[in-house]
Amino acid sequence: MSALILALAAGAVVGLALGALGGGGSVLAVPALIYLLGFSPVGATTASLVIVTLTSVTALAAHARDGHVRWRTGLLFAAAGIVPAMLGGALAARIPAAVLTAAFALVAAVAALRMLRSRTAVEGAVTVQPGRAAAAGAGLGAVTGVLGVGGGFLAVPALVGVLGMRMRSAVGTSLLVITVNSLAALATRAGTVQTLDWAVVGPFVAAAVLGAWDGKRLSAKISGHTLQRIFAVVLLAVAAFMLIDAVT
């Protein structure tokens, strides 16, 4: 199968995840770029940030129009996580690749299990607690920096489980966090963006952006509880795959 077809197919799946679930873009894009499209880990991480940033902006605009973005909470999360993310990124350079992969898989599995156990928050206004939002955002930023992902697959469980945000608002707000975190990470990798294979990255981005719109429409037809379970199952599948890869 040609690289173009693989890029389009993988991009569509990543876009659907981001549009419908508010996360899972990087956690799906990085393995796809490495195992399907032959990118190096460094190239895959940088390309994933480009893909997820552009796709998240598209999905964020759609969710914002429907009033599903809690701007204050999202900005608190993102701002609190910037410095920890930078420190985590420096630490990641000293950790063996297999250990990082295993850690990634374990964190994804824990997040998925928490989502499966928790009940969807009730519809209604959410009282923003700045202290808890900042603390959760700092922890999210640290893990994001170490693992090299946008953080949406952790942001959604944190917004639901820590702050009690309803699922649809958590999905929209996580896209704001992903966008800010990914832009900050890209700023530190400006020199490597030009070396990307844009013949692959370009179609990947285009398919992901279109997929994000389809994902947004899908999220409007599925209950928050169902979205929560789908998100958890996706995380568990990716975690199992990456853990097997780390230990073999």
Side-chain angles (χ1 to χ4, degrees), residues 73-171:
T73 303
L75 291 174
L76 278 171
F77 256 70
I82 290 175
V83 172
M86 294 174 65
L87 296 175
L91 176 63
R94 297 178 170 85
I95 301 176
V99 175
L100 276 177
T101 301
F104 187 105
L106 290 173
V107 170
V110 169
L113 291 173
R114 180 164 186 167
M115 291 292 286
L116 284 173
R117 288 199 305 268
S118 66
R119 293 177 298 177
T120 303
V122 297
E123 298 293 322
V126 175
T127 300
V128 177
Q129 303 177 47
R132 296 185 70 185
L140 175 65
V143 175
T144 297
V146 172
L147 301 181
V149 297
F153 77 107
L154 293 173
V156 171
L159 291 168
V160 172
V162 176
L163 297 183
M165 188 177 290
R166 60 185 183 180
M167 186 61 181
R168 294 197 192 284
S169 293
V171 168

Side-chain angles (χ1 to χ4, degrees), residues 32-45 47 196-198 200-201:
L33 289 164
I34 293 174
Y35 298 117
L36 296 180
L37 297 167
F39 277 58
S40 68
V42 173
T45 303
L196 295 177
D197 185 355
W198 288 99
V200 173
V201 175

Side-chain angles (χ1 to χ4, degrees), residues 160-207:
V160 172
V162 176
L163 297 183
M165 188 177 290
R166 60 185 183 180
M167 186 61 181
R168 294 197 192 284
S169 293
V171 168
T173 304
S174 74
L175 291 166
L176 174 60
V177 177
I178 294 169
T179 299
V180 174
N181 286 349
S182 298
L183 283 173
L186 275 175
T188 67
R189 302 180 182 220
T192 63
V193 173
Q194 292 88 343
T195 64
L196 295 177
D197 185 355
W198 288 99
V200 173
V201 175
F204 200 122
V205 170

Side-chain angles (χ1 to χ4, degrees), residues 115-117 167 224-234:
M115 291 292 286
L116 284 173
R117 288 199 305 268
M167 186 61 181
H225 178 69
T226 301
L227 279 176
Q228 205 167 304
R229 297 186 68 84
I230 291 173
F231 187 56
V233 170
V234 170

